[in-house]
Amino acid sequence: MTSTVSEVAAYEFTTLTCVPGVVNYRGAKLQMLDLPGIIEGAKDGKGRGRQVIAVARTCSLILIVLDVVKPLQHKLIIERELDGFGIRLNQQPPDISIRKREKGGITVSSTCPLTQLDHDTIKTIFTEYKLNNADVVLRGDYSADQVIDAIEGNRTYIPCVYVLNKIDQISIEELDIIARLPHNCPISAHHGWNLDGLLEVIWDHLNFIRVYTKPKGQVPDYDEPVILRRVPQPSVEVFCNRIHRQLMRNFKYAWAWGASVKHQPQRVGKDHLLEDEDVVQIVKKV
């Protein structure tokens, strides 16, 4: 996918070091890192596992490549090691607010019924962490592990795609079943099957949108779009700050074309929310 050579062989743990590569997709340059495989106990340092997982912790998206013939065995091991290192895959941070105070004990309130925990259990968890005086608000039905994650405050939440390789070794019926599973993409690296589909899945999980710039009196620059996160929905101000931090100082207004406006073009302010493939022209103060 990246035209970078990474050693492959018919045995496991072929990759011994991090191999970087860049793939151009929809005008964006996506850097991909081929990391060495990890073994059971990697989170505790076995097989230099902590260094490998530390690199994965800084990524925007994790691709877990599995053998489609035995995917579950390897999937559980890798997930357990990443979880033990504080990486939460395909999860959202728990919406739990904790406000410490000097006295008064622990008060727990929730915005919905709690089916996995009761207030006494939550208080016990906080006591174990030596938090004896705090106001706790749970805006969701969370488990004990998620409450602990909120207390620790050092967890990383990263989207993940399970890449099921070697689909040339299974039947069409089996392929139809695994293709329906969430957060997965079946491929055959040897034959180059469905690599375009993998890129599309990667793009969807990264949740990016493209916004094109338009200099005054010129056609829009469709070759190098400004890449922004879809969530939270980016505004014109976020778009300007991505181009240059000083751009908002002289910002007057902007012209926008695309799905985010009713008229083509439409004059908008800095708080206008942008959609994918919008075109924006910035007008500065004189």
Side-chain angles (χ1 to χ4, degrees):
M1 292 167 64
T2 64
S3 300
T4 302
V5 178
S6 181
E7 186 177 353
V8 294
Y11 52 87
E12 297 177 342
F13 303 103
T14 313
T15 304
L16 301 178
T17 184
C18 176
V19 181
V22 176
V23 57
N24 291 302
Y25 186 66
R26 296 187 181 181
K29 293 181 179 179
L30 307 177
Q31 185 183 45
M32 305 181 73
L33 305 175
D34 183 15
L35 298 176
I38 57 175
I39 61 175
E40 200 163 1
K43 66 179 184 296
D44 301 318
K46 289 186 179 180
R48 298 187 68 183
R50 293 183 69 88
Q51 291 93 322
V52 175
I53 300 177
V55 176
R57 191 183 174 98
T58 64
C59 295
S60 302
L61 174 69
I62 292 178
L63 303 179
I64 297 181
V65 184
L66 302 170
D67 189 334
V68 74
V69 180
K70 46 183 178 181
L72 192 59
Q73 174 188 355
H74 293 167
K75 176 176 180 288
L76 294 177
I77 293 175
I78 295 173
E79 284 181 339
R80 185 163 56 247
E81 297 304 318
L82 295 179
D83 190 84
F85 205 76
I87 297 176
R88 303 292 181 260
L89 301 177
N90 293 325
Q91 298 181 30
Q92 294 297 323
D95 192 356
I96 301 174
S97 61
I98 303 170
R99 185 171 64 87
K100 298 179 183 179
R101 55 187 182 183
E102 294 183 359
K103 57 183 179 179
I106 298 174
T107 59
V108 180
S109 59
S110 59
T111 58
C112 66
L114 301 178
T115 61
Q116 305 181 63
L117 293 171
D118 54 36
H119 288 195
D120 291 336
T121 304
I122 296 173
K123 291 179 181 179
T124 302
I125 294 173
F126 274 79
T127 303
E128 288 289 329
Y129 280 85
K130 295 181 171 37
L131 293 172
N132 299 314
N133 302 288
D135 290 325
V136 184
V137 180
L138 290 84
R139 299 179 182 86
D141 184 17
Y142 298 116
S143 64
D145 289 336
Q146 289 174 305
V147 173
I148 293 173
D149 287 349
I151 296 173
E152 293 277 1
N154 60 354
R155 306 304 191 228
T156 304
Y157 296 84
I158 304 176
C160 172
V161 174
Y162 300 95
V163 183
L164 302 176
N165 192 21
K166 302 182 183 179
I167 59 173
D168 52 302
Q169 299 181 10
I170 61 175
S171 65
I172 295 295
E173 291 76 13
E174 292 172 320
L175 177 60
D176 184 58
I177 293 173
I178 65 172
R180 300 178 186 180
L181 300 174
H183 307 297
N184 92 94
C185 182
I187 69 164
S188 172
H190 179 68
H191 295 283
W193 295 349
N194 201 34
L195 296 184
D196 290 340
L198 175 58
L199 279 173
E200 189 171 341
V201 171
I202 289 173
W203 182 268
D204 291 341
H205 279 72
L206 286 171
N207 225 2
F208 285 156
I209 68 170
R210 296 156 294 170
V211 180
Y212 302 104
T213 57
K214 182 185 181 303
K216 186 176 180 180
Q218 301 180 29
V219 297
D221 181 8
Y222 292 112
D223 294 328
E224 294 191 9
V226 178
I227 307 299
L228 303 172
R229 290 279 186 183
R230 186 185 296 275
V231 179
Q233 190 173 3
S235 63
V236 173
E237 183 176 5
V238 174
F239 168 77
C240 293
N241 289 333
R242 178 59 61 88
I243 297 174
H244 198 284
R245 292 184 178 180
Q246 304 297 324
L247 192 57
M248 284 305 298
R249 289 188 176 183
N250 299 321
F251 178 84
K252 187 176 183 182
Y253 60 88
W255 292 104
W257 293 258
S260 67
V261 295
K262 296 180 179 179
H263 312 290
Q264 308 293 336
Q266 181 174 319
R267 178 171 167 168
V268 297
K270 66 176 183 178
D271 296 325
H272 176 73
L273 299 179
L274 300 170
E275 296 283 354
D276 187 31
E277 294 193 287
D278 276 359
V279 176
V280 176
Q281 176 183 317
I282 305 299
V283 178
K284 299 181 181 180
K285 297 177 184 176
V286 179

